[in-house]
Amino acid sequence: MSNKIPFLERNIEYLKGVGPNRAELLRAELNIYTFGDLLFHFPFRYIDRSKIYAIKDLDESLPFIQVKGRISDIRKEGLGKAQRLTASLSDGSGRIDLVWFQGVKWLEDSLKAGTEYIAFGKPSVFRNVINITHPELSKIEQEEKEVGIIPVYSVTEKLRARGLDSKGISKLVKTLLENPDFEIKENLPTSVILRQSLLFRDIAFKNIHFPEQWQKGEEARHRLKFEEMFFMQVKIIKFKLRQKSQKTQIKFDKIGELFNEYYHNKLPFELTNAQKKVIKEIWADLKTGHQMNRLLQGDVGSGKTVVALISMLIANDNGYQACLMAPTEILATQHFDSITKALDGMNVNVGLLMGSTKTAARKELAELLENGELHILIGTHALIEDHVKFKNLGLSVIDEQHRFGVAQRYKLWQKNTEPPHVLVMTATPIPRTLAMTVYGDLEISAIDELPVGRKPIRTVHRYERGLNEIYVFMKEQIRLGRQIYIVYPLIEESEKLDLQSLQEGFEIIKHHFPEPEFTVGMLHGKMKSKEKEIVMKGFIAGTTHVLVSTTVIEVGVNVPNASVMAIMNAERFGLAQLHQLRGRVGRGADQSFCVLITSDKLGQDGRKRIDTMVQTTDGFKIAEVDMELRGPGDIDGTRQSGLMNLKLINIATDGKIIEQSRIEAERVLADDPFIKRPEHQAMHIYFEEYGRKNNDWSRVS
Ligand code: ADP
Ligand code: MG
């Protein structure tokens, strides 16, 4: 019976050595349902019992290995909990330290200087010297049973209790690989395999589980990583090609009155060259008769809003409506206010729709929207709710896309029978390799210069004990007519506690900045919309001098007169957040400052983040360091992109593989966009299957 079912799809229960009980466990504990799932349960590390290494050949990149040598110089160091036992091991080629932090007493009694041992463990570097921490030791005469390179699998306590420890899993995998029916079909085109010098697929699967040699194991992992990213790229590129080839009725072929009126008579400044270039790129898309899907990247303060506004006016000029979606009510309100002001006296009706919009106002908006009298709708994600209907939406702009998911982007497509053009904007510079995946289906435009006359923000790091001096400096700034942000951390898990500390911070700041000379305002996400609005208005108008706030002001907020951004407990913020927050100042012509305030105790990562902020304002450099420190999982925008389902690829460290797989995928599809050529048959079959399994976001098209 089971012969009919493809080998890898067979129920794990029917693998020799499994049976119903263990199958149940494997499903519950490791999500292993089929033979294929087991095959894809890769070892997370290896133990190399294949040979005895010479001490001189050890380096940090090696897995768990064994060395053989004589013990000498056994010594106890440190006190109390920090106590450790160190012994030297020499084999004639060199000498390393073996270090134990636990079982010190027992080891001290049992280790014998002058005796030969086999030490087994992972070489690591401490103070620039190689050592092995917590090695297993065995005397030479004890025979070692395991040989070769041994895979180590992650298992749970429950599995272990039922005999399915790492060794047990390894046994099952072996059974699987040795099954006479075992068959792994190649899925990459031969040309790609050859160009990239990849292992064949079946060999890769065998070697990722049981590497013949260490090197082969690495090659196996490389091959499977490549394959993983290659098919993801094929999917992204195909998706992009499909969009680009589809004709749309929404064609903006004229530059009209509104554009001209705004551009020539209203625009309060000269656009930067970068802004002009980007507008040309957008215009070129809008008039082709194909749907635009463009990402506008521009660092904080580079002037993306005006680009959005001009694009929306082009839509209006061509008889279409436009919308602008922002991630927070504060930002949406700000856009609404500034755009209404910018278009004052022009024949454009602008509306604002947010979660907090009252029913009566909603009704009115809905009517104007459906009869076409409303030209531009600004709002939060309330815009994408199903009941919001446009008469003829032609352009959707999403501000700060990194705060939204891919799915939300596509929801906007459904707001018209013909999908509208889409412009997404983001200030979060993301590393190139990540952009290739998260935004791989978009064309990319970049504003790579700031408006003239901006002075670079000066960033400094200060300790809490120096706060009084900082207050003095802030007062000087206020007396010069400037305004100040003071940001407190608000992290969800400890929200209550943080709100309390924000409140306390507010009291302290009010104490240091007494009325009537100074006015201090407070802003946080838990406030009512109306309250938030009043506070923001006071700050925008300049009547509030100091705004004590949480990160609700993190994205987009634009008050050019604010010149100081002080961040309390700065060590608790991520780099992307710090960069965004800093971007709230330096928006006018005055010298601006960012003061990062921390406690004396700074961890290693915290220190690195603060140093990075002090050293550079380059968003891309900051993004790279961020990814290095956090890994891509936490980087905004990756969560909904399917990237989190990657099993092997690490976006932070596998940049090269990502780039190469993108190049190869583009190459194959350029020749054969429908993957129909005979030499691509295996790839075609696999890709169909892949599409069925990974349809979470292609579905939204
Ligand atoms: P972001 O790209 O961060 O969204 P904004 O669109 O909020 O930036 O623009 C930041 C500030 O710079 C705003 O006050 C805006 O009016 C101003 N601005 C935008 N473009 C220019 C320009 N070409 N010259 C001078 N000021 C500009
Ligand atoms: Mg903005």
Side-chain angles (χ1 to χ4, degrees), residues 269-272 275 298-306 400 451 454 556 558 560 587:
F269 39 69
E270 165 103 31
L271 292 181
T272 61
Q275 284 169 320
D299 213 341
V300 282
S302 61
K304 295 183 292 294
T305 317
V306 68
E400 307 295 350
R454 295 268 173 86
N558 184 40
R587 302 185 146 241

Side-chain angles (χ1 to χ4, degrees), residues 301 304-305 331 334-335 399-400 425 427 555-557 584 587:
K304 295 183 292 294
T305 317
L331 189 49
Q334 175 188 292
H335 281 324
D399 194 18
E400 307 295 350
M425 313 200 288
V555 290
V557 168
R584 296 313 108 217
R587 302 185 146 241

